[in-house]
Structures are given as C-alpha cells and as structure tokens.
Amino acid sequence: ATVRSGIFDDQNGIFWEFDGTQISVVQRTGTKQIAGTIELTVDDNQVTGINTRFLDQLKAGDRIIVKGMTHVVSHVNSQTDMTVTPDWRGVVGITGAKANLIVDKKVKQTEFNLDSLNGAGPSGYDLDVAKMQMIGIQYSWYGAGFIDFMLRGADGNFVYAHRMRNSNVNTEA
C-alpha cells in the first residue's frame, strides 16, 4: 500500500509519498506526447499506432492518457501495436488521436537537495514516519517556477526538504 498526500489525481500533481519503506516527493505530469497517432475501437483494448514508436517509448505498466481518459499499457507488441486496460470507454472509436505518457518524477528522501530530514541535515530534523507530521508544498502556478516540499519542524517553522526547479526547464505547463 502507498500513502500519498498533496494535490494530485491519476494524471497530474505534486505530493509526498510513503510506500511502506521509503518517503519520496513526486511531481506527476501527463503532458509528454508519444510519437505518432493512435486508433481505438469502442469496447476494445487493441491500440493501433500510425508512425508510433511503442517499443521505444512505452512498457507494460506505463499509464497513458487518451482523450482525457487514463489507460494502463498491458502489452507492447510492436512499434505500432499494443494493448491497454481498461478497454476504450469512448462512445465512438477514434482515429488520429494523440496519446500522452504519465510520468512520475520521484525523489527519495536520501536524495533530497535541501535537507534529508535524517538528523544530519542543516535543520537537524529527524523524520519519524511513525509519528504525525505536518507537510507543506509550495508551488508556482503553471509549473513555471519551483516546487518546494517541506515539513513543519520542531520549532513550528517549515523545514524545506526538497526543491524541484521547473523554470526554464519545461516546455508545457
């Protein structure tokens, strides 16, 4: 089981994550377009690609967005053939559609760039996941600035743990 807290859905967001062993901070984006276009038939899971590179860009377990709906890649059979779950739920089949890959940029606690929260960082704060924590996330609108992940420290002030830079990096919000 994984516990997440922040602002997110299955396609985009920023959040803290605990997988039972490791604390991480995550930026999830669904804006990475895969090459080519796809075709899907109503109530079918077979995706046909035109000028696609499925083998190069996708693997089983990846999540993609098709016309606003999230699907999980089941199998990648060739550069132009794959299956997804669930079946296409649209009311009509589609042709010439773009698909976007959902990407989770995950940073583990040991890789935090401001304070590792293990007692050895600048704040001296030692994160105990068995105890209640107050998390904070600060971000700039449209993803063009920074995302700061923080915890409320022992003195009541926020301890900044990790900063993700997005300014002059991303090409889309």
Side-chain angles (χ1 to χ4, degrees):
T2 300
V3 178
R4 295 183 178 110
S5 185
I7 182 168
F8 64 95
D9 60 20
D10 62 342
Q11 297 178 358
N12 293 286
I14 48 179
F15 51 92
W16 287 82
E17 177 179 278
F18 181 62
D19 65 7
T21 305
Q22 182 70 47
I23 290 276
S24 301
V25 295
V26 183
Q27 177 185 23
R28 175 177 291 164
T29 56
T31 58
K32 183 177 182 178
Q33 290 186 2
I34 62 171
T37 59
I38 62 169
E39 295 179 355
L40 272 162
T41 304
V42 176
D43 296 328
D44 194 8
N45 68 348
Q46 195 68 39
V47 179
T48 302
I50 297 96
N51 297 319
T52 50
R53 297 189 343 249
F54 294 156
L55 286 172
D56 298 334
Q57 295 184 302
L58 301 170
K59 66 184 179 312
D62 280 346
R63 294 165 294 140
I64 62 170
I65 303 167
V66 179
K67 297 281 187 178
M69 293 183 249
T70 302
H71 295 272
V72 178
V73 175
S74 303
H75 297 91
V76 178
N77 305 313
S78 72
Q79 293 286 30
T80 59
D81 179 58
M82 71 172 166
T83 56
V84 296
T85 59
D87 292 354
W88 173 243
R89 300 164 289 184
V91 293
V92 297
I94 58 169
T95 60
K98 292 300 290 179
N100 289 6
L101 176 64
I102 299 169
V103 177
D104 283 357
K105 183 165 77 173
K106 187 180 295 191
V107 179
K108 296 177 182 179
Q109 180 182 357
T110 56
E111 299 165 355
F112 289 174
N113 59 14
L114 299 176
D115 193 317
S116 59
L117 305 174
N118 64 359
S123 71
Y125 192 79
D126 191 5
L127 174 63
D128 183 350
V129 297
K131 305 266 184 347
M132 185 170 55
Q133 304 292 329
M134 169 117 12
I135 65 163
I137 301 172
Q138 177 176 282
Y139 62 96
S140 302
W141 188 242
Y142 294 125
F146 294 92
I147 304 168
D148 292 318
F149 295 89
M150 51 207 159
L151 289 177
R152 188 72 72 184
D155 64 358
N157 293 312
F158 276 117
V159 175
Y160 288 80
H162 188 76
R163 173 173 267 194
M164 288 185 182
R165 178 177 162 231
N166 293 297
S167 59
N168 207 31
V169 174
N170 298 328
T171 57
E172 295 182 279

